[in-house]
Amino acid sequence: MNDESREPFKRLFFALDCAPAQRKAIAQWRSALQLRSGRPVPAENFHLTLKFLGSVDTAQIAAIGEAVASVRSSAERLTVVLDRLDVWRRAGVLVLAPEQAPPALLRLVYDLEQALLPFGLEETSKEFRPHLTLARDYRALVPESSVAPEFFLRADRFTLFESHKGRYRALAEWPLRTQ
């Protein structure tokens, strides 16, 4: 048993993961922006956060998994078009976001939030803004791109991730729809 498994709390979040080929395409597009500010997020960490849980008692993780196991989407496969480059000044991040969030994504997030209510994990009620973070500590204007962003993040499952020392590790995943 390693030290990590004895940690009493884990930083957790639910997300839609990116396929490896899509990570590579987004990273190449970001590279062409020639960013002069911020710290690029490693491509292996690209994801679209559904719900950030924060520090969670490891004793609660199994129960959280059971609570969200019944969450399903109305779509068998969810597609989110990441077609807008934006800077969130307050957070200091450069993000790819959808111009229009699909209703199935918003419903999935709502259902996750409802399933998690009994755990009292809600730190503050924040409006859900779907995005994929490209860079942190970003303090410049929105960079210009010769090629407009248009990435189709397609998911047939959602994942519970642990954030540990800058790395994300999948702990469990659930299909968006039962077969």
Side-chain angles (χ1 to χ4, degrees):
M1 194 181 249
N2 61 24
D3 290 336
E4 188 178 324
S5 64
R6 288 183 252 161
E7 293 177 0
F9 292 91
K10 292 186 181 285
R11 286 179 52 81
L12 304 178
F13 62 93
F14 285 98
L16 300 179
D17 203 3
C18 279
Q22 187 159 50
R23 287 185 184 127
K24 183 177 180 182
I26 293 170
Q28 288 173 336
W29 181 83
R30 176 185 61 189
S31 181
L33 296 175
Q34 299 180 351
L35 300 178
R36 303 207 190 299
S37 177
R39 290 180 298 115
V41 170
E44 62 267 15
N45 284 353
F46 287 164
H47 66 276
L48 189 141
T49 301
L50 301 171
K51 178 75 177 150
F52 180 73
L53 304 181
S55 292
V56 176
D57 187 323
T58 55
Q60 287 187 302
I61 295 174
I64 287 171
E66 289 173 20
V68 302
S70 63
V71 171
R72 295 290 178 255
S73 171
S74 59
E76 189 168 317
R77 186 169 210 187
L78 190 54
T79 300
V80 181
V81 182
L82 300 170
D83 55 357
R84 188 171 53 110
L85 185 60
D86 200 5
V87 173
W88 292 355
R89 299 216 183 286
R90 179 181 257 162
V93 293
L94 177 67
V95 300
L96 274 175
E99 190 66 44
Q100 184 74 40
L105 174 65
L106 300 176
R107 182 63 197 202
L108 175 62
V109 170
Y110 175 81
D111 290 346
L112 269 174
E113 289 172 344
Q114 294 304 300
L116 295 167
L117 280 176
F119 298 95
L121 300 170
E122 189 69 24
E123 295 169 355
T124 57
S125 184
K126 293 182 183 177
E127 177 188 353
F128 173 67
R129 298 193 312 173
H131 67 283
L132 182 146
T133 303
L134 295 172
R136 299 188 185 289
D137 300 325
Y138 190 83
R139 305 285 176 223
L141 298 174
V142 175
E144 296 213 12
S145 174
S146 60
V147 178
E150 189 174 53
F151 297 98
F152 295 85
L153 191 149
R154 292 182 175 91
D156 59 2
R157 63 191 69 251
F158 64 96
T159 305
L160 176 63
F161 284 96
E162 174 189 9
S163 174
H164 185 74
K165 296 182 179 179
R167 296 273 184 214
Y168 301 151
R169 183 170 63 106
L171 299 179
E173 56 184 32
W174 296 267
L176 290 176
R177 203 161 169 147
T178 54
Q179 307 306 355

